[in-house]
Amino acid sequence: ANAEDWAKWDAAVEESSALLRETGVLSTDVAWPVQMGAELAVKAGEPERAKTAYEMALKQWMGLGHDEDVGKVMQAINALIED
């Protein structure tokens, strides 16, 4: 997201989503960087990409039972929807 190479971003998100669906992996090592990527996408003016990444992070946090992080991500998604 920093390099604003959105084609690579899209490919990475698609591949990551597929792998997470296939493996069922739940990890803070996945959730946190994906959430940070979503925040970078918001700052770069890419709300749809941010929403996709936030949704990925949300699934991770929910699966891990991290209610506080679930709340933060849901607030961020709601802010995107309201804009």
Side-chain angles (χ1 to χ4, degrees), residues 33-67:
V34 171
Q35 185 175 340
M36 296 300 102
E39 291 173 10
L40 289 172
V42 168
K43 291 177 184 175
E46 294 288 338
E48 287 301 316
R49 288 180 169 101
K51 184 175 177 283
T52 300
Y54 276 133
E55 289 169 348
M56 288 176 62
L58 182 62
K59 289 176 187 174
Q60 291 288 309
W61 292 129
M62 289 175 73
L64 292 164
H66 288 218
D67 294 338

Side-chain angles (χ1 to χ4, degrees), residues 13-54:
V13 167
E14 187 175 320
E15 183 178 349
S16 299
S17 293
L19 286 171
L20 291 171
R21 277 192 306 275
E22 289 172 20
T23 64
V25 168
L26 296 170
S27 172
T28 57
D29 290 337
V30 173
W32 186 81
V34 171
Q35 185 175 340
M36 296 300 102
E39 291 173 10
L40 289 172
V42 168
K43 291 177 184 175
E46 294 288 338
E48 287 301 316
R49 288 180 169 101
K51 184 175 177 283
T52 300
Y54 276 133

Side-chain angles (χ1 to χ4, degrees), residues 61-74:
W61 292 129
M62 289 175 73
L64 292 164
H66 288 218
D67 294 338
E68 185 177 335
D69 293 305
V70 167
K72 289 177 185 176
V73 172
M74 290 182 75

